[in-house]
Amino acid sequence: SDLPPFAIHAARYSHRKMDFLGTPDVGIWSFAGLMLASLVTSFIGVFTGAAGGIVLLGLMATIMPPLALIPVHTVVMLGSGATRTMIMWRHVMRPAVLPFIAGSVIGAAIGAKVFVALTTTWLELILGAFILLVTWMPNLGRMGGVGGRFAFLGFFTTFLGVFVSATGTLLAPFIAASTPDRRVHVATMGALMMTSHLAKVAAFGFI
């Protein structure tokens, strides 16, 4: 090679920096930053129930390639939701869990099949419009029985989550409408999003 020794060493270091722990285009400092972001957003999520996931998604989008972003964010939030559920399991709203699981399994299966057919832009527009609709019409969060409502939410949030990942903001108004207890809200959000992310991880395994 015509390169001087220091340039060769710099190139090798740069390659290692951009491929930390086998993660393409993520260096050691970016990796450390993502760890810190995960810690902070999980902390935020305990208080707000949902904001942590969407904040982390925005931070990860500045570092990770798009094709890796959604699956990696899903795994990270799965860990966050599982930890929250283990700590606060006594406060989980149990009547909502089984219907949500059933809806999530169906939503993940269908979402995986149409993963390459629908554009993320349209799904984000639909998600944004739905969040605004729920925000301005809070009575929607109380429509129907608990079982049917959360079965539909399991399907809808998990289906959308295959494409946009952070759908906790969509789920939060419905949980808030079902219980005035903040502990129940946070614990149930953690349990339901853990279920949704687990279904998505399984779906990504088959894509």
Side-chain angles (χ1 to χ4, degrees):
S1 173
D2 295 331
L3 291 174
F6 75 87
I8 295 174
H9 288 301
R12 288 174 180 172
Y13 172 77
S14 176
H15 176 74
R16 290 197 301 269
K17 181 180 177 183
M18 297 302 292
D19 194 16
F20 182 65
L21 293 181
T23 307
D25 299 324
V26 176
I28 186 170
W29 292 112
S30 297
F31 188 87
L34 288 174
M35 287 180 61
L36 179 61
S38 177
L39 186 152
V40 172
T41 54
S42 293
F43 182 79
I44 292 172
V46 172
F47 291 95
T48 65
I54 200 163
V55 171
L56 181 61
L57 183 67
L59 292 173
M60 291 176 67
T62 65
I63 296 174
M64 304 202 71
L67 289 178
L69 176 61
I70 301 302
V72 173
H73 180 269
T74 295
V75 173
V76 172
M77 295 312 298
L78 171 61
S80 176
T83 303
R84 194 189 316 171
T85 303
M86 287 189 292
I87 294 171
M88 306 182 69
W89 66 270
R90 291 183 180 86
H91 301 288
V92 173
M93 192 168 62
R94 287 169 177 75
V97 175
L98 287 179
F100 192 89
I101 290 174
S104 292
V105 170
I106 298 170
I110 296 176
K113 289 184 178 296
V114 297
F115 185 74
V116 295
L118 298 179
T119 64
T120 301
T121 301
W122 278 106
L123 286 168
E124 288 175 341
L125 287 173
I126 293 170
L127 177 61
F130 198 80
I131 291 171
L132 290 174
L133 182 64
V134 171
T135 302
W136 289 102
M137 300 179 66
N139 287 334
L140 283 176
R142 302 181 183 90
M143 290 181 64
V146 171
R149 186 191 317 153
F150 280 94
F152 171 75
L153 286 170
F155 168 80
F156 191 66
T157 57
T158 305
F159 175 81
L160 280 180
V162 172
F163 303 90
V164 296
S165 191
T167 54
T169 308
L170 172 64
L171 184 60
F174 289 91
I175 298 176
S178 301
T179 175
D181 191 323
R182 192 171 68 120
R183 293 172 301 176
V184 175
H185 176 95
V186 172
T188 303
M189 174 66 75
L192 298 188
M193 291 311 298
M194 177 188 70
T195 298
S196 178
H197 291 310
L198 188 60
K200 288 188 293 176
V201 168
F204 286 132
F206 290 100
I207 292 178

